[in-house]
Amino acid sequence: MTQMPACHLTDRFGPGATAAPTPWQRTLVSMTFALMLVSLWALTHRYNGFARDGELYAVQAMARIHPSLATDLYLQNVSQDRFTVFSPIYAAVIALIGLQPAELLLFSLCTVVFLTAAGMLARELFSVEAAWLSTALLIVTTGYYGAYMIFSYSENYLSARSMGEALVVTALACHFRGWRTATWLIAVAGMCIHPLMVLPGVLLLLCLGLPTRLAVSGAVAGVLATLAFALTATFTHGTMPFMTLMDPAWLEVVRERSQFLFLKYWTVNDWGLAARPVVCLTFTALAVPDERVRKLCIAALLVGAAGLAVALIAGTVGPVAILLQGQAWRWMWVTGFVSVLLVVPTALHVWRAERCGPLCATLLVLAWTFQGIDSLACADAALALWLVRPYITARTGQHLRWAGAALVAIVVLWTVANCWTFAFSAIPESGREPIIVGRLREMFGLGVSAVLLAGFVWYGARRIRSMPMVALVAAALVATSVTILPGSVKQMSAVGSPAEIAEFADWRAAIPPTSNVLMVPTTKSAAFVWFTLGRPSYLSVDQSAGVIFSPATAREVRRRSEILAPLGDPDWRILSAITKDRQRREAGLPSKPAPPPLKLTAGMLTSVCSDPALGFVVAEPNVGFNPVTHVHPGGWNRWNLYDCRRVRPTTPVAGPPAAGSPAA
């Protein structure tokens, strides 16, 4: 077995070039690298709180503390909450310290474990220095997988995916350290947290433990078995156990709401993002002589390819409900993660290669960090150059080295020019942190600028021979982290906080615990209804995420959206909106701006309140019917709470409805 030579912490300090560093010198350098990672994360990330699926996992946990929330449309039928033990864990932490602190604590824990385990994995495969840089690149890049840039690993909000990803990476690190028992115990624990995200990690571990030929044969056999399963379900019309077919009405809602489940709706850009890690892993497998690394590349490619094949079958044959719900395209996340983890060690290795080494290394890094060019084209160019390397003459090699130097110079100039522009442009956001921090975020948001910073710190810590200078760099990084990190993890929304719950005590007292509440405009998040009012939400686009798991939920989403037709088109019809926008672009027309939300009128309120399932409506305009008006300084000042029983002419109400009433 051939292993890449590691760079050691020698030849760095003191006037002599041969003295090895002392333990405290090693500690100081390690602290400097760790502070570099903290600073990079603070500069390039922002904690998003109840963003996207973050609020869905939060309401799943809150429903275990407040059972009335379990009657919500998202949870009342089959949902993803039935397949995870994450919710009880989350609920236990919420019960101890509160909703927002629990979310931030678990998010921070998952992020730290994910990055620490990634560094350990890179250290087992390469060197200490390469591990630090690999972790830095994981921080700087956004690990998109799937379609429409919806999902990425290591997201900036808390979900069961966050914990599942951290456990997968930890299991991989344990595997390469030779801790077999710990590897599979962690993998099993991960399957209990998020089976869909951890399954590809388990498959990756299996591929690593098997001979390559057997792993390939197993992947092919698995795909063929899936095809046979789907065909059997289609021919038997889904009458056999676990072979339920989606009926046309259910399938239409799923397609409209979650078009990313079907590979036929993926765009050229989506396929480009899926191809980039494939190209980079192929490059690494060809360029790096370590057999362990090659096997890891092949295993990651196998898992990703098998996932896409299964997803293609799921979306075209049947469709069989359980296969679509399995969302095998998610397996690509491990392919992307492994690809990014190996970019830096691969670049460091090929940099020393004659002729095209520096240019290939530069293109490989730019494929993940440079926003100004086609990332897939960069990766393709690096792979093509490496493949023709044996045929490159010495003279051509010299020209390619010049081209590599020129490319680095262009990138540096581009970065400086953009940073200069940011320095004198308006800050798009204010109120969260000082202006200087906002400008730094814009600058390091370029990606390649953060890579240059990481490279500068890494090179300096390895070459500086003065320990006071290293300590000075560490102190500067401490100051940066202390200044920027609080703004990076600050929860900007007061939703669900004790202060906001107390502020809306009158509304909470007026609404029975199980009464559905509608927010107008309907495009608003359900988080306010769930976490501040503590009540089920009538309908929001986030709640419609559950249509993939339940035909009953799909039917109810459609029914409620028809009730809300006077307030605008259903926002869960995402595929139709995307199709119309694409047709306008193909016709040479500009994208149609979203229409402004309609303001509630008395007629609209009467219409939507005709549904007995709707108990209360929250809206800003006062259209009569004796609402409870919120009078308090802030964004909710003069908003109104309408009791639908007051609006329905046949059911007048003299006071707040009692729990257990029809409106509840």
Side-chain angles (χ1 to χ4, degrees), residues 174-205:
C174 290
H175 169 82
F176 282 100
R177 290 188 72 99
W179 300 344
R180 306 303 184 195
T181 302
T183 296
W184 289 106
L185 287 176
I186 293 171
V188 170
M191 288 292 291
C192 297
I193 296 294
H194 200 304
L196 299 185
M197 293 298 292
V198 178
L199 177 59
V202 172
L203 295 176
L204 182 63
L205 289 169

PDB file of all heavy atoms in Angstrom, residues 174-205:
ATOM      1  N   CYS A 174     -13.707   7.127  12.054  1.00  0.00           N
ATOM      2  CA  CYS A 174     -13.433   5.937  12.866  1.00  0.00           C
ATOM      3  C   CYS A 174     -13.027   4.761  11.990  1.00  0.00           C
ATOM      4  O   CYS A 174     -12.157   3.959  12.368  1.00  0.00           O
ATOM      5  CB  CYS A 174     -14.675   5.581  13.689  1.00  0.00           C
ATOM      6  SG  CYS A 174     -15.058   6.756  15.017  1.00  0.00           S
ATOM      7  N   HIS A 175     -13.635   4.640  10.829  1.00  0.00           N
ATOM      8  CA  HIS A 175     -13.286   3.545   9.915  1.00  0.00           C
ATOM      9  C   HIS A 175     -11.811   3.611   9.528  1.00  0.00           C
ATOM     10  O   HIS A 175     -11.104   2.596   9.574  1.00  0.00           O
ATOM     11  CB  HIS A 175     -14.165   3.618   8.667  1.00  0.00           C
ATOM     12  CG  HIS A 175     -13.712   2.711   7.563  1.00  0.00           C
ATOM     13  ND1 HIS A 175     -14.026   1.372   7.520  1.00  0.00           N
ATOM     14  CD2 HIS A 175     -12.936   2.954   6.464  1.00  0.00           C
ATOM     15  CE1 HIS A 175     -13.474   0.821   6.442  1.00  0.00           C
ATOM     16  NE2 HIS A 175     -12.808   1.760   5.781  1.00  0.00           N
ATOM     17  N   PHE A 176     -11.328   4.793   9.164  1.00  0.00           N
ATOM     18  CA  PHE A 176      -9.943   4.909   8.719  1.00  0.00           C
ATOM     19  C   PHE A 176      -8.952   4.879   9.880  1.00  0.00           C
ATOM     20  O   PHE A 176      -7.754   4.682   9.664  1.00  0.00           O
ATOM     21  CB  PHE A 176      -9.767   6.178   7.878  1.00  0.00           C
ATOM     22  CG  PHE A 176     -10.270   6.021   6.474  1.00  0.00           C
ATOM     23  CD1 PHE A 176     -11.514   6.508   6.111  1.00  0.00           C
ATOM     24  CD2 PHE A 176      -9.512   5.365   5.520  1.00  0.00           C
ATOM     25  CE1 PHE A 176     -11.991   6.358   4.820  1.00  0.00           C
ATOM     26  CE2 PHE A 176      -9.978   5.211   4.221  1.00  0.00           C
ATOM     27  CZ  PHE A 176     -11.224   5.700   3.870  1.00  0.00           C
ATOM     28  N   ARG A 177      -9.455   5.061  11.100  1.00  0.00           N
ATOM     29  CA  ARG A 177      -8.596   4.873  12.272  1.00  0.00           C
ATOM     30  C   ARG A 177      -8.563   3.413  12.717  1.00  0.00           C
ATOM     31  O   ARG A 177      -7.816   3.066  13.628  1.00  0.00           O
ATOM     32  CB  ARG A 177      -9.078   5.752  13.434  1.00  0.00           C
ATOM     33  CG  ARG A 177      -8.852   7.229  13.234  1.00  0.00           C
ATOM     34  CD  ARG A 177      -9.179   8.006  14.501  1.00  0.00           C
ATOM     35  NE  ARG A 177      -8.168   7.784  15.520  1.00  0.00           N
ATOM     36  CZ  ARG A 177      -7.158   8.609  15.783  1.00  0.00           C
ATOM     37  NH1 ARG A 177      -7.028   9.718  15.063  1.00  0.00           N
ATOM     38  NH2 ARG A 177      -6.291   8.341  16.739  1.00  0.00           N
ATOM     39  N   GLY A 178      -9.380   2.592  12.096  1.00  0.00           N
ATOM     40  CA  GLY A 178      -9.409   1.177  12.440  1.00  0.00           C
ATOM     41  C   GLY A 178     -10.331   0.823  13.584  1.00  0.00           C
ATOM     42  O   GLY A 178     -10.284  -0.300  14.095  1.00  0.00           O
ATOM     43  N   TRP A 179     -11.220   1.742  13.984  1.00  0.00           N
ATOM     44  CA  TRP A 179     -12.146   1.489  15.091  1.00  0.00           C
ATOM     45  C   TRP A 179     -13.440   0.907  14.518  1.00  0.00           C
ATOM     46  O   TRP A 179     -14.452   1.612  14.362  1.00  0.00           O
ATOM     47  CB  TRP A 179     -12.426   2.774  15.856  1.00  0.00           C
ATOM     48  CG  TRP A 179     -11.194   3.395  16.464  1.00  0.00           C
ATOM     49  CD1 TRP A 179      -9.984   2.796  16.662  1.00  0.00           C
ATOM     50  CD2 TRP A 179     -11.064   4.730  16.946  1.00  0.00           C
ATOM     51  NE1 TRP A 179      -9.099   3.668  17.246  1.00  0.00           N
ATOM     52  CE2 TRP A 179      -9.732   4.878  17.434  1.00  0.00           C
ATOM     53  CE3 TRP A 179     -11.920   5.823  17.028  1.00  0.00           C
ATOM     54  CZ2 TRP A 179      -9.256   6.059  17.974  1.00  0.00           C
ATOM     55  CZ3 TRP A 179     -11.451   7.009  17.566  1.00  0.00           C
ATOM     56  CH2 TRP A 179     -10.134   7.124  18.047  1.00  0.00           C
ATOM     57  N   ARG A 180     -13.454  -0.355  14.187  1.00  0.00           N
ATOM     58  CA  ARG A 180     -14.574  -0.968  13.479  1.00  0.00           C
ATOM     59  C   ARG A 180     -15.858  -0.955  14.302  1.00  0.00           C
ATOM     60  O   ARG A 180     -16.939  -0.652  13.787  1.00  0.00           O
ATOM     61  CB  ARG A 180     -14.225  -2.411  13.083  1.00  0.00           C
ATOM     62  CG  ARG A 180     -12.938  -2.559  12.305  1.00  0.00           C
ATOM     63  CD  ARG A 180     -12.946  -1.733  11.039  1.00  0.00           C
ATOM     64  NE  ARG A 180     -11.746  -1.960  10.247  1.00  0.00           N
ATOM     65  CZ  ARG A 180     -11.349  -1.174   9.260  1.00  0.00           C
ATOM     66  NH1 ARG A 180     -12.049  -0.096   8.957  1.00  0.00           N
ATOM     67  NH2 ARG A 180     -10.244  -1.440   8.586  1.00  0.00           N
ATOM     68  N   THR A 181     -15.763  -1.315  15.581  1.00  0.00           N
ATOM     69  CA  THR A 181     -16.965  -1.367  16.412  1.00  0.00           C
ATOM     70  C   THR A 181     -17.601   0.010  16.543  1.00  0.00           C
ATOM     71  O   THR A 181     -18.826   0.170  16.366  1.00  0.00           O
ATOM     72  CB  THR A 181     -16.632  -1.922  17.808  1.00  0.00           C
ATOM     73  OG1 THR A 181     -16.049  -3.226  17.673  1.00  0.00           O
ATOM     74  CG2 THR A 181     -17.886  -2.004  18.666  1.00  0.00           C
ATOM     75  N   ALA A 182     -16.771   1.019  16.834  1.00  0.00           N
ATOM     76  CA  ALA A 182     -17.291   2.381  16.946  1.00  0.00           C
ATOM     77  C   ALA A 182     -17.903   2.850  15.628  1.00  0.00           C
ATOM     78  O   ALA A 182     -18.927   3.552  15.620  1.00  0.00           O
ATOM     79  CB  ALA A 182     -16.170   3.329  17.373  1.00  0.00           C
ATOM     80  N   THR A 183     -17.287   2.454  14.518  1.00  0.00           N
ATOM     81  CA  THR A 183     -17.796   2.852  13.206  1.00  0.00           C
ATOM     82  C   THR A 183     -19.245   2.440  13.031  1.00  0.00           C
ATOM     83  O   THR A 183     -20.117   3.257  12.675  1.00  0.00           O
ATOM     84  CB  THR A 183     -16.937   2.222  12.089  1.00  0.00           C
ATOM     85  OG1 THR A 183     -15.618   2.739  12.163  1.00  0.00           O
ATOM     86  CG2 THR A 183     -17.525   2.522  10.727  1.00  0.00           C
ATOM     87  N   TRP A 184     -19.534   1.167  13.309  1.00  0.00           N
ATOM     88  CA  TRP A 184     -20.878   0.677  13.034  1.00  0.00           C
ATOM     89  C   TRP A 184     -21.874   1.066  14.120  1.00  0.00           C
ATOM     90  O   TRP A 184     -23.075   1.231  13.831  1.00  0.00           O
ATOM     91  CB  TRP A 184     -20.836  -0.834  12.829  1.00  0.00           C
ATOM     92  CG  TRP A 184     -20.160  -1.151  11.535  1.00  0.00           C
ATOM     93  CD1 TRP A 184     -18.909  -1.657  11.352  1.00  0.00           C
ATOM     94  CD2 TRP A 184     -20.689  -0.908  10.231  1.00  0.00           C
ATOM     95  NE1 TRP A 184     -18.618  -1.751  10.014  1.00  0.00           N
ATOM     96  CE2 TRP A 184     -19.689  -1.304   9.299  1.00  0.00           C
ATOM     97  CE3 TRP A 184     -21.891  -0.407   9.750  1.00  0.00           C
ATOM     98  CZ2 TRP A 184     -19.881  -1.210   7.924  1.00  0.00           C
ATOM     99  CZ3 TRP A 184     -22.078  -0.313   8.377  1.00  0.00           C
ATOM    100  CH2 TRP A 184     -21.095  -0.703   7.484  1.00  0.00           C
ATOM    101  N   LEU A 185     -21.416   1.264  15.339  1.00  0.00           N
ATOM    102  CA  LEU A 185     -22.324   1.783  16.370  1.00  0.00           C
ATOM    103  C   LEU A 185     -22.780   3.195  16.018  1.00  0.00           C
ATOM    104  O   LEU A 185     -23.965   3.537  16.145  1.00  0.00           O
ATOM    105  CB  LEU A 185     -21.630   1.774  17.734  1.00  0.00           C
ATOM    106  CG  LEU A 185     -21.441   0.407  18.399  1.00  0.00           C
ATOM    107  CD1 LEU A 185     -20.652   0.560  19.697  1.00  0.00           C
ATOM    108  CD2 LEU A 185     -22.794  -0.253  18.667  1.00  0.00           C
ATOM    109  N   ILE A 186     -21.848   4.010  15.555  1.00  0.00           N
ATOM    110  CA  ILE A 186     -22.197   5.383  15.163  1.00  0.00           C
ATOM    111  C   ILE A 186     -23.095   5.369  13.932  1.00  0.00           C
ATOM    112  O   ILE A 186     -24.045   6.160  13.821  1.00  0.00           O
ATOM    113  CB  ILE A 186     -20.910   6.199  14.907  1.00  0.00           C
ATOM    114  CG1 ILE A 186     -20.140   6.382  16.215  1.00  0.00           C
ATOM    115  CG2 ILE A 186     -21.241   7.551  14.285  1.00  0.00           C
ATOM    116  CD1 ILE A 186     -18.760   6.978  16.027  1.00  0.00           C
ATOM    117  N   ALA A 187     -22.814   4.476  12.993  1.00  0.00           N
ATOM    118  CA  ALA A 187     -23.635   4.395  11.779  1.00  0.00           C
ATOM    119  C   ALA A 187     -25.070   3.994  12.116  1.00  0.00           C
ATOM    120  O   ALA A 187     -26.029   4.561  11.573  1.00  0.00           O
ATOM    121  CB  ALA A 187     -23.019   3.399  10.806  1.00  0.00           C
ATOM    122  N   VAL A 188     -25.240   3.040  13.023  1.00  0.00           N
ATOM    123  CA  VAL A 188     -26.583   2.624  13.432  1.00  0.00           C
ATOM    124  C   VAL A 188     -27.305   3.776  14.139  1.00  0.00           C
ATOM    125  O   VAL A 188     -28.498   4.020  13.906  1.00  0.00           O
ATOM    126  CB  VAL A 188     -26.499   1.386  14.342  1.00  0.00           C
ATOM    127  CG1 VAL A 188     -27.860   1.080  14.969  1.00  0.00           C
ATOM    128  CG2 VAL A 188     -26.011   0.181  13.543  1.00  0.00           C
ATOM    129  N   ALA A 189     -26.586   4.489  14.993  1.00  0.00           N
ATOM    130  CA  ALA A 189     -27.183   5.643  15.664  1.00  0.00           C
ATOM    131  C   ALA A 189     -27.616   6.687  14.638  1.00  0.00           C
ATOM    132  O   ALA A 189     -28.689   7.297  14.756  1.00  0.00           O
ATOM    133  CB  ALA A 189     -26.186   6.249  16.655  1.00  0.00           C
ATOM    134  N   GLY A 190     -26.796   6.891  13.616  1.00  0.00           N
ATOM    135  CA  GLY A 190     -27.148   7.838  12.571  1.00  0.00           C
ATOM    136  C   GLY A 190     -28.395   7.431  11.814  1.00  0.00           C
ATOM    137  O   GLY A 190     -29.222   8.287  11.461  1.00  0.00           O
ATOM    138  N   MET A 191     -28.570   6.118  11.564  1.00  0.00           N
ATOM    139  CA  MET A 191     -29.770   5.651  10.867  1.00  0.00           C
ATOM    140  C   MET A 191     -31.032   5.964  11.669  1.00  0.00           C
ATOM    141  O   MET A 191     -32.107   6.174  11.095  1.00  0.00           O
ATOM    142  CB  MET A 191     -29.668   4.155  10.613  1.00  0.00           C
ATOM    143  CG  MET A 191     -28.663   3.774   9.539  1.00  0.00           C
ATOM    144  SD  MET A 191     -29.162   4.315   7.876  1.00  0.00           S
ATOM    145  CE  MET A 191     -30.581   3.243   7.576  1.00  0.00           C
ATOM    146  N   CYS A 192     -30.921   6.010  12.978  1.00  0.00           N
ATOM    147  CA  CYS A 192     -32.070   6.356  13.819  1.00  0.00           C
ATOM    148  C   CYS A 192     -32.355   7.852  13.785  1.00  0.00           C
ATOM    149  O   CYS A 192     -33.479   8.277  14.073  1.00  0.00           O
ATOM    150  CB  CYS A 192     -31.823   5.916  15.263  1.00  0.00           C
ATOM    151  SG  CYS A 192     -31.633   4.132  15.474  1.00  0.00           S
ATOM    152  N   ILE A 193     -31.364   8.640  13.445  1.00  0.00           N
ATOM    153  CA  ILE A 193     -31.530  10.097  13.391  1.00  0.00           C
ATOM    154  C   ILE A 193     -32.134  10.537  12.065  1.00  0.00           C
ATOM    155  O   ILE A 193     -33.116  11.275  12.022  1.00  0.00           O
ATOM    156  CB  ILE A 193     -30.180  10.808  13.618  1.00  0.00           C
ATOM    157  CG1 ILE A 193     -29.647  10.513  15.021  1.00  0.00           C
ATOM    158  CG2 ILE A 193     -30.322  12.314  13.402  1.00  0.00           C
ATOM    159  CD1 ILE A 193     -30.493  11.082  16.139  1.00  0.00           C
ATOM    160  N   HIS A 194     -31.546  10.096  10.949  1.00  0.00           N
ATOM    161  CA  HIS A 194     -32.044  10.476   9.621  1.00  0.00           C
ATOM    162  C   HIS A 194     -31.676   9.378   8.630  1.00  0.00           C
ATOM    163  O   HIS A 194     -30.607   9.426   8.012  1.00  0.00           O
ATOM    164  CB  HIS A 194     -31.446  11.820   9.181  1.00  0.00           C
ATOM    165  CG  HIS A 194     -32.241  12.498   8.099  1.00  0.00           C
ATOM    166  ND1 HIS A 194     -32.524  11.885   6.899  1.00  0.00           N
ATOM    167  CD2 HIS A 194     -32.811  13.739   8.022  1.00  0.00           C
ATOM    168  CE1 HIS A 194     -33.238  12.704   6.132  1.00  0.00           C
ATOM    169  NE2 HIS A 194     -33.429  13.839   6.800  1.00  0.00           N
ATOM    170  N   PRO A 195     -32.550   8.391   8.441  1.00  0.00           N
ATOM    171  CA  PRO A 195     -32.203   7.256   7.576  1.00  0.00           C
ATOM    172  C   PRO A 195     -31.844   7.652   6.153  1.00  0.00           C
ATOM    173  O   PRO A 195     -30.944   7.057   5.553  1.00  0.00           O
ATOM    174  CB  PRO A 195     -33.480   6.400   7.610  1.00  0.00           C
ATOM    175  CG  PRO A 195     -34.255   6.859   8.776  1.00  0.00           C
ATOM    176  CD  PRO A 195     -33.867   8.263   9.053  1.00  0.00           C
ATOM    177  N   LEU A 196     -32.544   8.652   5.603  1.00  0.00           N
ATOM    178  CA  LEU A 196     -32.296   9.012   4.203  1.00  0.00           C
ATOM    179  C   LEU A 196     -30.904   9.585   3.995  1.00  0.00           C
ATOM    180  O   LEU A 196     -30.280   9.356   2.950  1.00  0.00           O
ATOM    181  CB  LEU A 196     -33.346  10.029   3.727  1.00  0.00           C
ATOM    182  CG  LEU A 196     -34.800   9.581   3.751  1.00  0.00           C
ATOM    183  CD1 LEU A 196     -35.691  10.653   3.138  1.00  0.00           C
ATOM    184  CD2 LEU A 196     -34.982   8.267   3.025  1.00  0.00           C
ATOM    185  N   MET A 197     -30.396  10.328   4.966  1.00  0.00           N
ATOM    186  CA  MET A 197     -29.085  10.951   4.835  1.00  0.00           C
ATOM    187  C   MET A 197     -27.957  10.022   5.271  1.00  0.00           C
ATOM    188  O   MET A 197     -26.832  10.126   4.758  1.00  0.00           O
ATOM    189  CB  MET A 197     -29.026  12.235   5.672  1.00  0.00           C
ATOM    190  CG  MET A 197     -29.933  13.340   5.170  1.00  0.00           C
ATOM    191  SD  MET A 197     -29.500  13.908   3.508  1.00  0.00           S
ATOM    192  CE  MET A 197     -27.933  14.694   3.837  1.00  0.00           C
ATOM    193  N   VAL A 198     -28.228   9.128   6.196  1.00  0.00           N
ATOM    194  CA  VAL A 198     -27.179   8.258   6.729  1.00  0.00           C
ATOM    195  C   VAL A 198     -27.010   6.997   5.890  1.00  0.00           C
ATOM    196  O   VAL A 198     -25.919   6.427   5.835  1.00  0.00           O
ATOM    197  CB  VAL A 198     -27.477   7.912   8.201  1.00  0.00           C
ATOM    198  CG1 VAL A 198     -26.430   6.956   8.772  1.00  0.00           C
ATOM    199  CG2 VAL A 198     -27.519   9.197   9.043  1.00  0.00           C
ATOM    200  N   LEU A 199     -28.076   6.576   5.189  1.00  0.00           N
ATOM    201  CA  LEU A 199     -27.970   5.382   4.352  1.00  0.00           C
ATOM    202  C   LEU A 199     -26.809   5.458   3.353  1.00  0.00           C
ATOM    203  O   LEU A 199     -26.048   4.486   3.231  1.00  0.00           O
ATOM    204  CB  LEU A 199     -29.293   5.127   3.624  1.00  0.00           C
ATOM    205  CG  LEU A 199     -29.296   3.935   2.660  1.00  0.00           C
ATOM    206  CD1 LEU A 199     -28.953   2.643   3.384  1.00  0.00           C
ATOM    207  CD2 LEU A 199     -30.649   3.829   1.946  1.00  0.00           C
ATOM    208  N   PRO A 200     -26.628   6.569   2.620  1.00  0.00           N
ATOM    209  CA  PRO A 200     -25.465   6.607   1.722  1.00  0.00           C
ATOM    210  C   PRO A 200     -24.140   6.497   2.458  1.00  0.00           C
ATOM    211  O   PRO A 200     -23.171   5.952   1.923  1.00  0.00           O
ATOM    212  CB  PRO A 200     -25.603   7.958   1.010  1.00  0.00           C
ATOM    213  CG  PRO A 200     -26.505   8.764   1.863  1.00  0.00           C
ATOM    214  CD  PRO A 200     -27.452   7.777   2.478  1.00  0.00           C
ATOM    215  N   GLY A 201     -24.069   6.995   3.690  1.00  0.00           N
ATOM    216  CA  GLY A 201     -22.853   6.827   4.477  1.00  0.00           C
ATOM    217  C   GLY A 201     -22.616   5.365   4.815  1.00  0.00           C
ATOM    218  O   GLY A 201     -21.474   4.882   4.773  1.00  0.00           O
ATOM    219  N   VAL A 202     -23.691   4.644   5.159  1.00  0.00           N
ATOM    220  CA  VAL A 202     -23.570   3.212   5.437  1.00  0.00           C
ATOM    221  C   VAL A 202     -23.126   2.469   4.179  1.00  0.00           C
ATOM    222  O   VAL A 202     -22.258   1.577   4.234  1.00  0.00           O
ATOM    223  CB  VAL A 202     -24.909   2.666   5.960  1.00  0.00           C
ATOM    224  CG1 VAL A 202     -24.870   1.143   6.071  1.00  0.00           C
ATOM    225  CG2 VAL A 202     -25.251   3.280   7.315  1.00  0.00           C
ATOM    226  N   LEU A 203     -23.721   2.823   3.033  1.00  0.00           N
ATOM    227  CA  LEU A 203     -23.328   2.185   1.775  1.00  0.00           C
ATOM    228  C   LEU A 203     -21.866   2.474   1.445  1.00  0.00           C
ATOM    229  O   LEU A 203     -21.144   1.601   0.940  1.00  0.00           O
ATOM    230  CB  LEU A 203     -24.232   2.673   0.643  1.00  0.00           C
ATOM    231  CG  LEU A 203     -25.710   2.288   0.755  1.00  0.00           C
ATOM    232  CD1 LEU A 203     -26.512   2.914  -0.380  1.00  0.00           C
ATOM    233  CD2 LEU A 203     -25.878   0.782   0.758  1.00  0.00           C
ATOM    234  N   LEU A 204     -21.423   3.686   1.747  1.00  0.00           N
ATOM    235  CA  LEU A 204     -20.021   4.032   1.516  1.00  0.00           C
ATOM    236  C   LEU A 204     -19.101   3.176   2.377  1.00  0.00           C
ATOM    237  O   LEU A 204     -18.070   2.676   1.909  1.00  0.00           O
ATOM    238  CB  LEU A 204     -19.803   5.519   1.813  1.00  0.00           C
ATOM    239  CG  LEU A 204     -18.399   6.072   1.579  1.00  0.00           C
ATOM    240  CD1 LEU A 204     -18.011   5.960   0.102  1.00  0.00           C
ATOM    241  CD2 LEU A 204     -18.296   7.519   2.043  1.00  0.00           C
ATOM    242  N   LEU A 205     -19.472   2.982   3.633  1.00  0.00           N
ATOM    243  CA  LEU A 205     -18.673   2.131   4.522  1.00  0.00           C
ATOM    244  C   LEU A 205     -18.634   0.689   4.023  1.00  0.00           C
ATOM    245  O   LEU A 205     -17.594   0.019   4.089  1.00  0.00           O
ATOM    246  CB  LEU A 205     -19.243   2.184   5.939  1.00  0.00           C
ATOM    247  CG  LEU A 205     -19.049   3.497   6.701  1.00  0.00           C
ATOM    248  CD1 LEU A 205     -19.879   3.513   7.969  1.00  0.00           C
ATOM    249  CD2 LEU A 205     -17.584   3.730   7.025  1.00  0.00           C
TER     250      LEU A 205
END
